[in-house]
Amino acid sequence: MDEPAFPWPAGGNTRVPYRVYTDTEVHELEKARIFAGPTWGFLCAASEIPHAGDYKTTFLGEVPIVVVRRKDGGINALVNRCSHRGSLVALQNQGNTGTALTCVYHSWAFDLDGNLTGVPFRRGIEGKGGMPAGFDLKQHGMKRLRAAAFCGLVFGTMSEAAPPLEEHIGGLIGGRMQRVLGDRKLKVLGTTSQVLHNNWKLYVENTKDTYHASLLHSFFSTFKILRLTAEGGIHVSEDGGNHASHSRNKQDKDQGEYVGLRSAIDGFGLKDASIFAARDEFGDGITVQILSVFPNFVLQQVHNSIALRQVLPKGVDQTELLWTFLGFEDDDEEMQRLRLKQANLVGPAGYISMEDGCVGGWVQRAIVGSEQDDSVVEMGGASHASTDNRISEASVRGFWNRYRPLMGFE
Amino acid sequence: MMMDIGSRLAMQDLFARYAHVIDDDRLEEWPELFTEDCLYQVISAENWALQRPIGLIHCDNKAMLQDRVTSLRDANIYEAQRYRHMLSATLVQHFHRDEARVVSNYQVIRIMQNGETMLFSCGRYLDRIRFTKAGPLFAERIVVMDSRRVDTLLAIPL
């Protein structure tokens, strides 16, 4: 399977064939061309593995990865698979593995660079059994990825052809990441996971879709929190793959460092508006920024709630969404409390995010039998250029602009 | 201090009412089972063990519980679904005058409108029960989910 079995419809990035969400051949091609292709995938926060030997297991696409802290402080990413019989090597979500990764199946041992260092009974016993004399340990290491960090976040790639990570993220979107994360020391405040019954791309598109936010998430409009009339815009990288949307709640200007609170109280309905008590943490009045890096990483700032979202395909029609809630080591007590309270807004039970858990599944269910049809992505025109408003699907088109050439959908 | 039988029965009654107001879709009555200054939290066992504060829901007073119900009724959009709670026996860990710390296990089965029925969540209730003049109420209910994984979304409280 070298090329997609069907052509992209006329209309370029304004039309998306439903088949890309259902076709198992497309899914197989994505494994090779997107997730093992010249892209970078988010793996973990560097601060999650602070000490030598600390590891965390995760996925690059559907491939199991173990990320490990070396003795010299560097970070390695290895495919979490033993070179002998293919078993998982690291079995826990995270832990410390000392100076070696050892497969439990036959105790083959690897150093933290993935080099094979020990094969039990390699010479046999009393001249019997054992590996052939010519067996070369050097040829049988764990597969090592390129790994790099940006703003304290570790990414990996299978591809030698991928540009350096900073280039993949780009200056425009990199700057928006730095705005939130800077070089402050990250602290994981919690993790959670959500199983979505839809193709992974439907969720990624959802995060890039600024048009839906105040319409689907009626918590916003019911309680008068975020409206498309608020000032905002979308930054889209030149190739379209990465984006950062932002909005400023206009009503906040006279409230000093507290934003959002008044509209909540003046609005109606909520008896306790404390979930909207927030600090203008970054000094620019931006209340919401949603950022994505191709193919499947999302950084969210909703008031003071900062979270990473990793969109992991699990077959063609299922996705696991991993949330990592962040704070900073230097957060004061009040900030910790704000982040804890505001976490009610997001995640699988979040007031303004729970709908995103089901809407992709509704698309997945509705397109059965309509695989020859296309979805329409024309809000705001046909371009994927940055815009100064959010009534646009520019960043959704950007995703397809990046996706199509990688996949051979010309 | 040993919990007297009357208190124990009243507490079990509170637990039964908790399950039934949720399962019978009488969510407006759910906050009434809590004290004004209550804590209601849903968090995964993994985060709980690592002492990470953020889970799925964190309400630190009764008004927040009422807001959650208002939001579920008037704002949030999700597919019609019901729960069925299965509760275990209760272990009383500590009882002193008007307060008890107790733990019990739960299973919540979720039934979707198309009939799809699944074990949606299981875990522990870590409770602080306050015995008031009006009867026992939840001063604290921390729902420690065994799994960090939630199918689709968590709308209705556990």
Side-chain angles (χ1 to χ4, degrees):
Chain A
M1 186 185 48
D2 299 322
E3 296 301 326
F6 56 95
W8 198 266
N13 300 325
T14 67
R15 291 292 181 277
V16 180
Y18 288 133
R19 213 169 152 180
V20 296
Y21 308 113
T22 60
D23 191 311
T24 51
E25 285 186 13
V26 169
H27 187 69
E28 289 304 311
L29 203 57
E30 285 173 356
K31 286 183 187 172
R33 295 199 171 176
I34 305 290
F35 293 104
T39 67
W40 289 82
F42 167 73
L43 300 175
C44 70
S47 62
E48 291 183 85
I49 47 170
H51 306 114
D54 284 353
Y55 72 87
K56 175 151 195 247
T57 56
T58 183
F59 294 90
L60 187 67
E62 290 178 75
V63 179
I65 304 291
V66 54
V67 195
V68 64
R69 177 76 70 171
R70 295 194 305 256
K71 218 170 22 176
D72 68 3
I75 287 174
N76 286 341
L78 309 165
V79 174
N80 188 12
R81 186 188 68 238
C82 181
S83 57
H84 175 215
R85 298 285 293 157
S87 170
L88 288 172
V89 178
L91 298 173
Q92 305 288 330
N93 288 344
Q94 57 187 106
N96 187 289
T97 189
T99 56
L101 285 154
T102 304
C103 175
V104 295
Y105 200 168
H106 303 88
S107 295
W108 281 33
F110 303 86
D111 67 22
L112 300 186
D113 292 327
N115 300 309
L116 179 59
T117 54
V119 174
F121 304 113
R122 184 177 166 202
R123 308 285 180 215
I125 294 177
E126 293 172 0
K128 292 177 183 169
M131 295 296 277
F135 181 76
D136 183 6
L137 296 188
K138 288 192 192 71
Q139 302 301 316
H140 295 276
M142 288 168 75
K143 187 178 160 67
R144 188 167 155 188
L145 286 63
R146 289 167 66 197
F150 186 77
C151 289
L153 306 181
V154 182
F155 289 74
T157 181
M158 300 272 194
S159 167
E160 288 306 320
L165 175 61
E166 289 203 21
E167 214 173 289
H168 175 74
I169 295 171
L172 180 67
I173 303 305
R176 308 310 294 173
M177 269 174 87
Q178 277 165 331
R179 170 186 167 269
V180 177
L181 301 175
D183 51 7
R184 295 165 76 188
K185 195 148 189 283
L186 303 174
K187 188 176 172 186
V188 174
L189 301 179
T191 57
T192 180
S193 135
Q194 207 171 348
V195 177
L196 311 177
H197 298 274
N198 56 256
N199 183 270
W200 67 278
K201 299 187 291 298
L202 285 167
Y203 186 81
V204 171
E205 285 181 282
N206 174 278
T207 67
K208 290 172 181 276
D209 170 3
T210 46
Y211 175 37
H212 86 285
S214 69
L215 299 169
L216 174 67
H217 304 304
S218 46
F219 186 85
F220 281 129
S221 45
T222 302
F223 301 112
K224 298 184 178 172
I225 299 146
L226 176 145
R227 286 169 289 189
L228 282 176
T229 50
E231 185 197 343
I234 316 169
H235 298 282
V236 187
S237 63
E238 206 170 311
D239 64 16
N242 309 335
H243 99 292
S245 63
H246 71 276
S247 59
R248 286 186 179 86
N249 197 328
K250 277 183 180 169
Q251 299 181 329
D252 306 329
K253 288 196 171 140
D254 56 347
Q255 291 187 48
E257 65 174 2
Y258 290 91
V259 291
L261 192 57
R262 169 180 289 194
S263 57
I265 292 169
D266 287 354
F268 47 88
L270 284 185
K271 291 183 180 229
D272 181 339
S274 64
I275 53 172
F276 298 116
R279 271 195 211 162
D280 184 10
E281 190 174 358
F282 309 107
D284 55 11
I286 289 177
T287 42
V288 175
Q289 177 181 291
I290 306 293
L291 177 154
S292 69
V293 176
F294 192 86
N296 65 335
F297 169 74
V298 178
L299 166 67
Q300 154 222 304
Q301 174 234 329
V302 174
H303 300 192
N304 304 110
S305 175
I306 300 169
L308 312 172
R309 306 182 205 163
Q310 204 178 352
V311 187
L312 298 175
K314 302 286 175 190
V316 69
D317 56 2
Q318 191 160 299
T319 300
E320 183 171 8
L321 178 59
L322 279 176
W323 298 75
T324 304
F325 291 91
L326 294 179
F328 300 102
E329 288 290 346
D330 56 8
D331 282 347
D332 58 31
E333 248 176 68
E334 191 205 7
M335 186 55 92
Q336 291 176 46
R337 203 169 52 245
L338 292 174
R339 297 200 204 284
L340 177 62
K341 266 284 171 76
Q342 294 171 19
N344 284 301
L345 295 169
V346 293
Y351 285 130
I352 59 169
S353 66
M354 71 168 78
E355 289 88 2
D356 296 327
C358 54
V359 72
W362 295 343
V363 174
Q364 195 79 32
R365 274 147 63 184
I367 61 180
V368 173
S370 301
E371 289 83 357
Q372 303 309 315
D373 293 341
D374 312 318
S375 88
V376 178
V377 193
E378 253 179 284
M379 189 58 71
S383 131
H384 63 269
S386 299
T387 70
D388 60 0
N389 71 83
R390 289 166 297 125
I391 313 164
S392 170
E393 290 166 323
S395 38
V396 180
R397 287 186 288 276
F399 176 82
W400 297 109
N401 194 67
R402 181 84 171 96
Y403 176 93
R404 288 171 52 207
L406 281 175
M407 289 288 285
F409 278 118
E410 293 302 345
Chain B
M1 189 171 164
M2 180 96 167
M3 193 188 277
D4 59 278
I5 286 185
S7 299
R8 194 178 263 271
L9 284 176
M11 182 180 73
Q12 291 306 144
D13 186 54
L14 174 70
F15 289 0
R17 279 191 289 147
Y18 181 94
H20 283 280
V21 296
I22 295 174
D23 295 355
D24 299 345
D25 194 29
R26 291 184 281 126
L27 291 181
E28 286 71 13
E29 296 171 44
W30 171 67
E32 300 310 315
L33 306 176
F34 290 80
T35 61
E36 295 293 330
D37 60 349
C38 67
L39 174 68
Y40 173 76
Q41 197 181 354
V42 180
I43 191 166
S44 73
E46 186 186 7
N47 285 325
W48 183 254
L50 291 169
Q51 297 183 312
R52 288 172 170 171
I54 293 186
L56 291 144
I57 300 176
H58 185 101
C59 299
D60 60 9
N61 60 55
K62 186 168 163 178
M64 286 187 76
L65 300 183
Q66 290 162 333
D67 286 342
R68 189 148 191 99
V69 174
T70 306
S71 184
L72 290 180
R73 292 290 195 220
D74 300 337
N76 289 118
I77 297 163
Y78 53 99
E79 221 164 343
Q81 53 189 275
R82 301 291 277 268
Y83 287 171
R84 192 62 62 198
H85 277 74
M86 310 301 280
L87 307 179
S88 79
T90 308
L91 177 69
V92 178
Q93 293 175 312
H94 183 76
F95 176 65
H96 187 70
R97 272 189 243 152
D98 59 352
E99 232 176 61
R101 280 196 174 275
V102 304
V103 55
S104 55
N105 297 338
Y106 74 89
Q107 288 186 1
V108 169
I109 295 154
R110 188 180 66 185
I111 306 100
M112 303 302 291
Q113 59 177 351
N114 66 1
E116 185 194 326
T117 302
M118 74 180 297
L119 178 57
F120 179 58
S121 176
C122 59
R124 288 170 288 163
Y125 288 131
L126 310 182
D127 297 328
R128 195 156 55 83
I129 306 295
R130 191 172 301 153
F131 292 87
T132 70
K133 280 177 191 151
L137 294 170
F138 292 104
E140 223 175 270
R141 169 149 271 197
I142 299 171
V143 185
V144 181
M145 284 180 36
D146 287 335
S147 169
R148 72 172 172 185
R149 202 177 273 189
V150 172
D151 186 274
T152 310
L153 55 81
L154 175 72
I156 304 166
L158 290 171

